[in-house]
């Protein structure tokens, strides 16, 4: 994730240059993006989880998912081919605005993760619970922090990070479009899972809070969370 954040802020490291044509760069970068999309979205499908459970205990799934996702994401960062064709460059105050917006978006991601109060990006909690059993906690929908303004704030802030890069080259334009589409499509599928898990509570949340782009000045107050 650190390498990916640096990639979004400063561009590809250029450690692996394949000297391809423009079309070759586009094909390579599109393939790298597709590799991550398939891995990241495919591994969370129940059919894959059932298959993997035949070889790996269920409580290790989260950790395995994080490890594989990290490896694939690092491959994307290291192998990404930068294009010399420039579409647009931000200069002056617009360059500084883009840089500040990126840093604010990074802060937003941290804010959103902390608001979850139990965000387990490494998949370690199921392993800890396996060896140090604790009382089971019921899954409940609570809305606090940035989740009062947008249902998927982490995705929103990542989109800001993606689009605040000041130098728009051909490869960066391809990256921005493909990853924006993937985030939107992934949000739609995630919404279905959340409705299935939380039912009418989540439907009420959908009616009051936008999915990806905040459009309210005052955030929605979750009546079930006194600390919101």
């Amino acid at each position: 994730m650190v390498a990916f954040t640096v990639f979004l802020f400063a561009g590809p490291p250029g450690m692996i240059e394949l000297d391809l044509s423009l079309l070759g760069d586009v094909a390579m970068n599109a393939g790298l993006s597709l590799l991550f999309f398939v891995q990241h979205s495919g591994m969370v499908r129940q059919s894959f989880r059932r298959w993997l459970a035949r070889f790996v205990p269920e409580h290790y799934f989260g950790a395995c998912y994080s490890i594989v996702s990290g490896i694939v994401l690092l491959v994307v960062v290291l192998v990404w081919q930068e294009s010399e064709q420039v579409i647009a460059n931000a200069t002056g105050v617009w360059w500084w605005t883009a840089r500040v917006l990126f840093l604010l978006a990074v802060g937003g991601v941290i804010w959103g993760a902390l608001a979850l109060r139990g965000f387990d990006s490494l998949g370690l909690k199921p392993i800890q619970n396996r060896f140090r059993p604790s009382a089971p906690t019921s899954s409940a929908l609570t809305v606090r922090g940035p989740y009062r303004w947008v249902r998927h704030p982490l995705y929103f802030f990542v989109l800001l990070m993606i689009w605040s890069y000041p130098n728009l080259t051909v490869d960066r334009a391809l990256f921005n479009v493909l990853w924006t589409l993937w985030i939107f499509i992934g949000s739609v599928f995630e919404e279905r899972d959340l409705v299935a898990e939380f039912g009418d509570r989540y439907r009420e949340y959908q009616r009051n809070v936008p999915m990806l782009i905040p459009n309210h000045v005052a955030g929605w107050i979750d009546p079930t969370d006194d600390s919101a």
Side-chain angles (χ1 to χ4, degrees):
M1 288 303 299
V2 172
F4 185 64
T5 302
V6 173
F7 169 85
L8 292 179
F9 183 79
M15 297 178 61
I16 301 176
E17 298 183 2
L18 302 178
D19 295 324
L20 303 173
S21 64
L22 176 60
L23 184 60
D25 287 341
V26 169
M28 172 62 71
N29 294 335
L32 290 170
S33 298
L34 183 61
L35 173 66
F36 181 78
F37 299 162
V38 171
Q39 176 273 317
H40 203 69
S41 299
M43 281 190 70
V44 298
R45 298 297 97 195
Q46 289 299 323
S47 57
F48 181 86
R49 296 187 64 156
R50 287 192 296 268
W51 174 82
L52 186 64
R54 295 188 296 176
F55 311 99
V56 179
E58 177 66 23
H59 54 275
Y60 288 115
F61 172 79
C64 291
Y65 180 74
S66 297
I67 292 171
V68 175
S69 296
I71 292 173
V72 175
L73 190 59
L74 189 60
V75 169
V76 172
V77 170
L78 296 179
V79 184
W80 190 269
Q81 301 300 297
E82 188 173 17
S83 172
E84 297 181 355
Q85 284 76 8
V86 177
I87 298 174
N89 276 331
T91 58
V93 67
W94 295 111
W95 188 92
W96 285 105
T97 299
R99 301 284 82 177
V100 171
L101 183 61
F102 182 93
L103 295 178
L104 290 175
V106 172
V109 170
I110 297 173
W111 181 29
L114 292 176
L116 292 174
R117 298 183 183 176
F119 185 62
D120 183 23
S121 61
L122 300 179
L124 297 180
K125 284 188 176 180
I127 300 175
Q128 294 172 345
N129 293 338
R130 178 70 173 81
F131 294 100
R132 290 185 299 178
S134 58
T137 57
S138 59
S139 178
L141 174 67
T142 56
V143 179
R144 59 177 70 93
Y147 290 85
R148 292 173 52 195
W149 286 273
V150 61
R151 301 199 300 273
H152 300 281
L154 298 183
Y155 294 159
F156 168 69
F157 289 123
V158 169
L159 286 174
L160 287 183
M161 293 167 64
I162 288 174
W163 286 98
S164 61
Y165 190 66
N167 305 316
L168 189 64
T169 56
V170 170
D171 70 285
R172 186 66 185 211
L174 175 70
F175 176 90
N176 290 3
V177 171
L178 290 180
W179 286 65
T180 298
L181 287 174
W182 174 66
I183 288 174
F184 176 77
I185 295 171
S187 299
V188 172
F189 280 100
E190 187 173 335
E191 289 279 295
R192 298 179 182 178
D193 294 337
L194 291 169
V195 169
E197 181 176 359
F198 297 110
D200 290 338
R201 281 289 294 119
Y202 197 81
R203 293 187 183 94
E204 179 187 1
Y205 184 44
Q206 287 177 314
R207 289 191 294 269
N208 288 279
V209 179
M211 184 173 75
L212 279 176
I213 308 299
N215 58 15
H216 300 301
V217 176
W220 183 61
I221 302 298
D222 183 4
T224 68
D225 183 15
D226 295 333
S227 63

